[in-house]
Amino acid sequence: MPGPALTWELADGVAIVTFDLKDSPVNKFSRAVKDEFLATFTALEQDRAVRAIAVFSGKPDNFIAGADIEEFVTIGSAAEAERLAAEGQEMMDRVTRFPKPVAVGIHGACLGGGLEFALACHYRVATDHPKTQLGLPEVQLGILPGASGCQRLPRLIGARAALDIILAGRSERAPKAFRLGMVDELVHPAILQDITIAAARRLADGWRPRRRRPGGVLAWLLDRNPLGRRLVFRTARRQVLERTKGHYPAPLAALEAVEHGLKHGMAEGLKREARLFGQLAVTDVSRKLVQIFFATTQLKKDFGLPNAPPPTAVQRLAIVGAGFMGSGIAGTAIVQAGVDVRMKDADLPRVAKGLAAARALLDDRLRRRRIAKYEYARLAALLSGGDGYAGFGRADLVIEAVFEDLSVKQQVLREVEAAARDDAVFASNTSTIPIARIAEAARRPERVIGMHFFSPVDRMPLLEVIPAARTAPGVVSTAVGFGRRLGKTVIVVKDSPGFWVNRILAPYANEVGHLLAEGASIEEIDAAAVGFGFPVGPVTLLDEVGLDVAEKVSQVMGAAFGERLQATAGVTALVKAGRLGRKSGRGFYRYGGGKKRGVDPAVYELLGVHPNGGPRLAEILQRLVDGMLNEAARAVGDGVVGTPRDGDIGAIFGFGFPPFRGGPLRHADDLGAARLVAELERLAERYGPRFAPCEVLQEQARRGSKFYP
Ligand code: 3H9
């Protein structure tokens, strides 16, 4: 039955159904697709030659990406969204109750409604390919699995395992999904079709697969008796609240849907699930999270230039500087991109240390069973190093991650140019120094660019790519393309001091010194920011970044922007006293055994301040946040980011600006420029001209305009 999405053919009693949504890179469920599924299933039911069904995706590396997100964001009311979920549930129910067996062969992403569909089928086969991921990411969009996922997954794999996936919006790779019992068989992609069709046929012949619920006695104790279950839900609720601090309603609602269903039965569970889905789908939090999804998706295709030439595929990477950043980049490059990496540092002990640190990332993947032993051996062999530039002549890209000092970086650039090919790209991993200044030492300035990674490199999702005025467009594409291969979300930013992230963090971090001087306590400052939704407060952030690094950044920012971004002397005093933050075990806080151990009271003495009540929490928060929004708006006016989208994504992925607020520029829009300007004027009057509202905000206030039209 040809249609826009589904086709089928009969092979020896089995209808092979292919889902291939036209003009879309992924398969997704919209109302139209759902109707087509229902019509197809009716035809298959009526066709007496069809004994069983096997469903596949026609997309090369995607199974089904879930419900069509674009469709549900247009929904205007909770009631309408509830209806959408109920219709989705009915479709899944139709599949489960279908009188002929339905097997599904999964290759590629099987997410959200896609997994809900697979769960409704009678048998699931998945490929063991790394692209095959099964999960329910709905809470990351501020909603919950609303097409029966909250009911089906816990019934299949137990409440605990299901909650782990649903509440975090997690996806599992196929081998883990198989171990958990989400799929019945794991096969090589080459035999997916055959095995799935054979299973469908066996089912039609009366075979019933035997499923053991994984987990043994513990699962029985916790999942299958009311007392144990109560404990599971209580623990999960506490963990969700600890993680979300109450800012995200979706995980708690999902928990409620699962719990209600297990207590009162499937039918009641489905009703509750649909109602909660409806309520969540129209929340502001969900809208914001969906905007972030689309922004990151757009960024995957954006090379930061209007007519960007295609990137050169980097096969060999060379890195100068085997320290924390250099080894982090090396390890990430091997793990994520599988490229050949050559590291160089001044002496062999340092190189050895860097190589060991890079390899630790591989060890971790082996330990977590993300790679097999032979893959480990293959990847480990890609890593090498030395105290000279041997091997640099083969590199397509050279990244320097040496000491943050202009003359040192220029010296490295000269040495690299002598050793590397003429067409190699030279990227500086600087956090503050303008790329144009570094490139002044270059013979080939058009091959020089900035790639600002964040620490720790393997975990931080953002990369700032910074072309200087003379950087060739192809070099920009290559840096952006390589960043993406490392799994990073990449924004292209203007070559100006602090780029984007450090520029807007500067007033936020500097305000700590002012607040402490006025008698605020370290705990209060951090608590205000965490209450707003930042993952950590600014004082903890300083400790994490390293106070020596923070000092260096603030000096550069102060020199570039004058009094407005001038730091107080506090951090310098701590650095002088040997307190470098977490890495040295002492900063504003004390650290031990890998944990933060509380504020060190000696710090107040070192800074010559006394916590004595100080400003109110609301005032602290306004100073921290408004200062940042003001600088963000000013930087947009200076063209530091190409679009507000890049600025918001940079802040969210760079330092955890609360995603549910959509980023600093969306948040500024939500407050409204007029209100923000009034708040800033009041702060400026009280605390000084650093708060004076920037021209961009004043202009917006005058015109009633916004960053996002
Ligand atoms: C849900 O299922 C709710 C149900 O429980 C209940 C309902 C009642 N919708 O990322 P890519 C687009 S909620 C609309 O570059 P990749 C994407 O925008 C859903 N569009 O590819 C892009 O468009 P364009 C839960 C979608 O190979 C294009 O496809 N599911 C959707 O790097 C290519 O995307 C999720 O949250 C969608 N569901 O990664 C999964 N998915 O080309 C969201 C993709 O116009 N999706 N698009 O810019 C993903 O995680 C990734 O896209 C995926 C592919 C891993 C699938």
Side-chain angles (χ1 to χ4, degrees), residues 25-26 28 65-69 113 116 137-138 141 145-146 293 297 300-301:
V26 298
K28 48 198 178 179
D68 186 345
I69 301 170
E116 292 175 305
E138 283 87 340
L141 300 170
F293 168 74
T297 308
K300 286 188 201 171
K301 296 189 267 279

Side-chain angles (χ1 to χ4, degrees), residues 73-138:
V73 290
T74 60
I75 290 177
S77 74
E80 197 192 331
E82 180 176 345
R83 218 162 28 246
L84 187 86
E87 286 170 12
Q89 293 174 349
E90 278 161 27
M91 176 187 136
M92 303 311 169
D93 188 54
R94 168 90 168 113
V95 174
T96 299
R97 289 175 191 274
F98 199 66
K100 304 172 188 183
V102 186
V104 63
I106 303 164
H107 173 70
C110 173
L111 302 174
L115 179 59
E116 292 175 305
F117 171 74
L119 293 173
C121 294
H122 304 124
Y123 198 74
R124 289 163 289 281
V125 184
T127 67
D128 56 6
H129 194 274
K131 289 221 163 177
T132 302
Q133 308 247 355
L134 296 94
L136 295 170
E138 283 87 340

Side-chain angles (χ1 to χ4, degrees), residues 505-521:
L505 274 177
Y508 176 73
N510 289 348
E511 204 55 26
V512 168
H514 294 288
L515 288 164
L516 288 173
E518 289 166 41
S521 72

Side-chain angles (χ1 to χ4, degrees), residues 189-336:
I191 55 170
L192 177 70
Q193 281 245 355
D194 292 349
I195 296 290
T196 311
I197 294 168
R201 199 166 284 133
R202 284 209 308 281
L203 287 165
D205 291 340
W207 170 68
R208 292 289 163 264
R210 292 227 330 256
R211 292 193 176 106
R212 255 184 325 110
R213 270 240 266 195
V217 179
L218 188 66
W220 182 85
L221 275 175
L222 288 174
D223 281 349
R224 298 192 209 171
N225 77 74
L227 260 177
R229 239 187 241 157
R230 215 176 300 157
L231 181 68
V232 168
F233 284 107
R234 207 181 316 136
T235 311
R237 183 165 289 113
R238 200 193 57 229
Q239 287 169 346
V240 165
L241 282 170
E242 266 168 25
R243 207 175 55 231
T244 63
K245 313 267 183 317
H247 292 305
Y248 296 86
L252 281 182
L255 190 69
E256 182 184 332
V258 173
E259 188 170 20
H260 193 78
L262 289 178
K263 230 188 225 168
H264 302 284
M266 183 94 171
E268 285 303 312
L270 287 171
K271 264 194 235 161
R272 180 66 61 95
E273 179 182 301
R275 177 148 29 101
L276 291 166
F277 177 90
Q279 290 168 5
L280 292 171
V282 292
T283 54
D284 185 55
V285 174
S286 174
R287 294 277 191 264
K288 291 279 185 341
L289 297 179
V290 167
Q291 281 158 356
I292 294 170
F293 168 74
F294 283 120
T296 33
T297 308
Q298 283 169 6
L299 269 170
K300 286 188 201 171
K301 296 189 267 279
D302 189 339
F303 285 88
L305 299 169
N307 294 309
T312 305
V314 173
Q315 309 284 358
R316 295 197 177 81
L317 171 69
I319 298 173
V320 189
F324 192 58
M325 288 307 279
S327 57
I329 298 168
T332 308
I334 288 195
V335 165
Q336 297 286 343

